[in-house]
């Protein structure tokens, strides 16, 4: 105990330092003279009892201090004390005069003697209530300190341990007293001890407490890394003197581990959420692989790569990994793969992840660059991961930047389609079990998206093949027409739709122009469109009138959309599907036939938008063709309209996707279309491009088909037309006319063949037909010969018997011509044949077998 000294004259007074026990205990003294009255009264007594010396000196202490009901007993005690007896006991007292607060004091009375030998007494008084409070405080402090489940240390102002509790001793070993005098450097590593020492100094200097200081260390008999949360506060004495710093430590290792696991789980969940949002946004294999690495690096690993089977990328139906096969090929290695993606978050890292070199025990294997085709050696860990479809760990090589690698097979629908590799470099935590599970989940999600992209690519290619097969190949050509066309599918995912156009060559150098629109979108609408387009072509080759073509097509559409057979028997159970199927085969269509000789076009419309005609120096005209009902509805006949068109006129057929959208009414779209055609004198291809770039087509909302034809009729010198009387000499006259016309056209190589075939057709018209005979020769890209008569009976080709004198004419026509046929006309029929124009080479002669086949 330190002491201070003060000098006052010759007397030296000793005093205890602040914080003495007497600062907490209320202790006083007074004395009683031989007469039993108070003769001395200390200042402490005045403070304790609340009575000044002038009020009590010379009075009976019992009368002053003791309550009235107890005074007789204490009068006897005072007499005994004055007789020389000591006495100690608890005495209730009344503070101050009159009714007031009562107290309890412990009094020690010692007999005394005056100078004259008379007996008196010295009384020492202690406030029992203060002692009780101290006892309670000590018991509470001892209970808190000794029985606390937390480690407790009391550091002195020299930062050495003054006291430790039992809990602290159990953690760090030894008895409680063994820790007295130690410092924090005896328990913690230097970096952690420096941190704690700095905190102790700040608390000791400023008095500001510290809460939740995180300290990491290990207990002597437990090498597990422990985490403690430490609270520090400065401790003072009753007088305010600083004693030291108290520290309470709580082991939060479990909480820290749980928080770390929760943070890891949140990170993994966030990574999976990011993967769901970012992986698979495009239906492209390489892009999907790059999206996987964009999520994994750097959020999950430092380096990553993706290798896919080469057969998967080239479009093979069955990847090598299907069915759990090893995918091994000749040479004892794995199947061929292509590295499609690589990502690195390490600026000075390797150019690629190990992928089987060195760590796999396969020296000499060089990690491939992006785009390179390679094989993993059969004995490598990467190849094993592909064979077994199980994730494999590849340790890093000594001295390598890569610490560890996970080789994760990418499995979709029980099929291994490739390998994803994730690597962490030195300085990153090694992969744990939770990381392995996360890597498998990331690879699986990407694998499903890649497999979907593969399936989409396959279906996309099939859809394109279907679409190309349903539309006219290349640039359609027709006699007397300059044609340009455009097709834009609304379903950009498959690039197929329900709109179609067609250009069909008819006999007599006539051309059928068709534009249609199936009510639907996507592949199903395209299939329905293909069936209707095929039906249109079939009907067109019958050379029917446009209205008759649409009527027959309407019957076909209704048949295609109506269930039959087993479907009809279960129609009640499949009403919704049948209704959907019927709707697919509802379509609109415009069918037009153009004759370049007469420059006349015949239109029929089945619920479609009207054709547009632009004649030279005239306003754009919407042709008034009765629309009729859509195909597949039935019940109403179709009408047709004949229109004479001028040389150089522009005819446009189109679908509603060109002129109508969600944000543009049909009337506005038609007006914009007419305005775009105001400069129709440009080249036809330029006109098509101008229309599509000018109109607000909102491409992607609906299919667009546009068919434009510029009228270029056959010149008069390319047509030979004669009427012949119904008499036998007309056969010879027909040969003469044909010979003269071919000579004028410089087609002498065709004269003999044409004379023979014209003779046969005119003879048949005389023999089986009716009315006047008409002969017509047309020269364009080919030579067409037509023989007209008023008979309604269509000629048919038959095999003549050996004894028949006739019946071989049409066989001869079919043998010598490129094509032949017949069609009805409003007043009879027309039989025709077609020959290619000579190109300088000799015409092929019929073989002996062909000639003998007629007999």
């Amino acid at each position: 105990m330190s002491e201070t000294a003060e000098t006052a004259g010759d007397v030296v007074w000793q005093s205890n330092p602040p914080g003495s026990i007497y600062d907490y205990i209320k202790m006083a003294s007074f004395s009683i003279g031989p007469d039993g009255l108070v003769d001395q009264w200390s200042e402490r007594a005045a403070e304790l009892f609340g009575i000044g010396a002038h009020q009590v000196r010379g009075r009976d202490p019992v009368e002053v201090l003791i309550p009235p009901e107890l005074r007789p007993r204490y009068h006897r005690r005072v007499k005994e004390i004055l007789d020389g007896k000591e006495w100690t006991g608890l005495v209730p007292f009344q503070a101050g005069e009159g009714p007031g607060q009562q107290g309890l004091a412990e009094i020690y009375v010692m007999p005394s003697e005056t100078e004259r030998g008379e007996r008196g007494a010295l009384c020492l008084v202690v406030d029992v209530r203060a002692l009780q409070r101290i006892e309670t405080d000590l018991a509470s402090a001892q209970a808190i300190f000794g029985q606390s489940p937390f480690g407790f240390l009391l550091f002195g102002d020299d930062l050495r341990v003054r006291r430790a509790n039992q809990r602290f001793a159990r953690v760090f070993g030894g008895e409680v007293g063994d820790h007295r005098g130690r410092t924090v450097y005896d328990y913690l590593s230097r970096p952690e001890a420096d941190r704690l020492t700095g905190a102790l100094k700040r608390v000791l200097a400023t008095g500001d407490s510290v809460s939740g200081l995180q300290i990491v260390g290990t207990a002597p008999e437990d090498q597990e890394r422990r985490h403690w949360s430490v609270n520090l506060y400065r401790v003072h004495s009753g007088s305010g003197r600083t004693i030291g710093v108290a520290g309470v430590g709580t082991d939060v290792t479990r909480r820290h581990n749980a928080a770390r696991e929760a943070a890891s789980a949140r990170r993994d969940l966030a990574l999976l959420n990011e993967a769901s949002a970012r992986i698979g946004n495009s239906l492209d294999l390489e892009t999907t692989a790059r999206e996987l690495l964009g999520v994994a690096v750097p959020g999950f690993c430092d380096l990553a790569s993706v290798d896919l089977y080469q057969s998967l990328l080239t479009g093979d139906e069955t990847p090598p990994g299907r069915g759990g096969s090893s995918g091994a090929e000749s040479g004892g290695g794995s199947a061929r793969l292509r590295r499609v993606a690589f990502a690195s978050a390490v600026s000075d890292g390797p150019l690629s992840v190990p992928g089987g070199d060195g760590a796999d025990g396969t020296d000499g294997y060089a990690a491939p660059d992006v785009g390179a085709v390679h094989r993993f050696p059969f004995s490598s860990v990467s190849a094993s991961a592909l064979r077994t479809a199980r994730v494999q760990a590849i340790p890093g090589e000594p001295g390598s930047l890569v610490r560890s690698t996970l080789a994760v097979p990418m499995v979709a629908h029980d099929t291994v389609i490739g390998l994803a590799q994730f690597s962490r470099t030195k300085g990153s935590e090694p992969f744990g079990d939770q990381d392995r599970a996360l890597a498998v989940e990331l690879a699986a999600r990407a694998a499903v998206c890649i497999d979907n992209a593969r399936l989409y690519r396959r279906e996309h290619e099939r859809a394109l093949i279907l679409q190309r097969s349903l539309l006219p190949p290349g640039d359609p050509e027709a006699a007397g027409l300059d044609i340009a066309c455009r097709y834009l599918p609304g379903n950009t995912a498959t690039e197929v739709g329900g709109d179609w156009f067609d250009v069909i060559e008819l006999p007599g150098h006539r051309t059928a122009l068709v534009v249609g629109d199936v009510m639907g979108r996507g592949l199903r609408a395209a299939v329905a469109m293909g069936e209707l387009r095929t039906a249109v072509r079939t009907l067109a080759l019958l050379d029917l009138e446009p209205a008759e073509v649409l009527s027959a097509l309407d019957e076909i559409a209704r048949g295609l959309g109506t269930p039959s057979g087993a479907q009809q028997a279960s129609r009640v159970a499949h009403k919704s599907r049948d209704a959907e199927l019927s709707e697919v085969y509802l379509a609109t269509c415009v069918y037009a036939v153009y004759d370049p000789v007469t420059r006349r076009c015949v239109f029929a419309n089945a619920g479609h938008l009207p054709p547009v005609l632009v004649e030279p120096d005239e306003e754009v005209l919407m042709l008034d063709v009765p629309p009729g009902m859509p195909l597949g509805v039935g019940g109403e006949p179709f009408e047709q309209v004949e229109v004479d068109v001028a040389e150089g006129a522009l005819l446009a057929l189109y679908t509603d996707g060109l002129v109508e959208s969600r944000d543009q009414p049909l009337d506005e779209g038609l007006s914009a279309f007419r305005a775009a055609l105001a400069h129709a004198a440009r080249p036809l291809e330029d006109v098509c491009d101008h229309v599509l770039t000018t109109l607000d087509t909102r491409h992607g909302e609906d299919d667009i088909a546009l068919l434009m034809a510029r009228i270029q009729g056959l010149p008069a010198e390319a047509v030979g037309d004669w009427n012949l009387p119904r008499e036998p000499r007309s056969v010879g006259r027909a040969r003469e006319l044909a010979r003269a016309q071919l000579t004028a056209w410089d087609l002498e190589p065709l004269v003999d063949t044409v004379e023979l075939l014209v003779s046969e057709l005119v003879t048949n018209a005389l023999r089986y037909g009716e009315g006047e005979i008409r002969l017509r020769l047309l020269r364009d890209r080919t030579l067409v010969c037509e023989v007209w008569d008023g008979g309604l009976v269509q000629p048919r080709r038959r095999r003549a018997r050996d004894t028949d004198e006739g019946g071989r004419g049409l066989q001869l026509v079919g043998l010598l011509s490129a094509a032949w046929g017949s069609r009805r006309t409003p007043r009879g029929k027309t039989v025709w044949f077609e020959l290619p124009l000579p190109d300088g080479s000799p015409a092929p002669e019929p073989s002996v077998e062909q000639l003998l086949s007629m007999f």
Side-chain angles (χ1 to χ4, degrees), residues 553-806:
L553 190 61
D554 178 59
E555 292 292 336
I556 293 173
R558 280 189 286 165
L560 292 174
T562 302
S564 60
Q567 284 183 323
Q568 187 70 26
S570 59
R571 185 169 183 173
V572 175
H574 300 85
K575 280 186 177 181
S576 60
R577 189 188 67 176
D578 293 344
E580 182 182 355
L581 185 63
S582 298
E583 184 178 349
V584 169
Y585 288 96
L586 292 176
T588 63
C589 180
V590 168
Y591 186 88
V593 175
Y594 170 68
D595 188 343
V597 178
T598 63
R599 293 186 180 86
R600 180 172 296 166
C601 196
V602 183
F603 297 92
N605 191 348
H608 203 80
L609 294 173
V612 175
L613 181 64
V614 187
E615 294 190 338
D617 301 325
E618 298 289 341
E619 293 184 358
V620 179
L621 177 64
M622 309 291 292
L623 295 180
D624 186 14
V625 180
M629 298 298 292
L631 300 174
V633 175
E636 293 292 335
F638 296 97
E639 301 180 35
Q640 62 185 42
V641 174
E642 291 188 8
V643 178
D644 292 328
V645 291
E647 181 76 14
L650 177 65
L651 178 64
L653 305 180
Y654 53 96
T655 57
D656 57 357
L658 181 68
V659 295
E660 186 178 24
S661 67
R662 296 177 182 176
D663 302 325
Q664 177 176 263
L666 179 59
D667 293 341
E668 294 182 7
L670 290 174
S671 298
F673 184 34
R674 293 171 62 184
L677 292 175
H679 303 284
R682 301 179 184 178
L684 204 55
E685 293 291 336
D686 294 343
V687 175
C688 284
D689 294 336
H690 176 69
V691 168
L692 293 178
T693 56
T694 301
L695 298 185
D696 183 14
T697 61
R698 297 297 175 98
H699 175 51
E701 291 185 2
D702 198 3
D703 307 329
I704 296 175
L706 175 63
L707 177 61
M708 289 188 175
R710 195 183 301 281
I711 305 301
Q712 297 174 350
L714 290 181
E717 60 270 16
V719 179
D721 194 354
W722 307 274
N723 291 323
L724 301 173
R726 191 171 187 79
E727 54 187 31
R729 65 177 184 174
S730 292
V731 176
R733 178 60 179 164
R735 288 197 298 268
E736 293 175 0
L737 293 172
R739 183 187 309 114
Q741 186 64 64
L742 292 178
T743 302
W745 287 341
D746 295 327
L747 298 177
E748 287 84 355
L750 301 180
V751 169
D752 293 339
T753 303
V754 172
E755 279 189 333
L756 176 59
L757 299 183
V758 166
S759 178
E760 289 294 335
L761 293 187
V762 174
T763 299
N764 283 344
L766 288 173
R767 207 179 261 187
Y768 306 109
E770 298 177 3
E772 190 178 36
I773 298 172
R774 182 180 177 187
L775 172 64
R776 190 166 74 168
L777 293 178
L778 306 175
R779 178 186 177 182
D780 193 70
R781 292 175 300 160
T782 61
L783 177 68
V784 174
C785 177
E786 299 175 333
V787 176
W788 305 40
D789 70 83
L792 298 178
V793 178
Q794 296 290 325
R796 64 183 182 87
R797 186 176 178 179
R798 64 181 178 86
R799 183 176 295 277
R801 295 188 296 270
D802 294 343
T803 57
D804 291 343
E805 295 182 0

Side-chain angles (χ1 to χ4, degrees), residues 189 333 342 410 470 533 586 641 730:
S189 64
F342 171 76
M410 303 181 71
L470 297 178
R533 177 178 177 271
L586 292 176
V641 174
S730 292

Side-chain angles (χ1 to χ4, degrees), residues 280-291 308 313 340 446 449-454 456-457:
N281 291 324
S282 66
L283 291 173
D284 179 78
L285 280 73
E286 291 83 355
T287 302
T288 303
R290 289 193 294 270
E291 289 170 347
L308 299 179
L313 297 169
V340 296
C449 294
I450 289 175
D451 195 53
N452 289 341
R454 177 184 69 85
Y456 164 76
R457 177 180 291 182

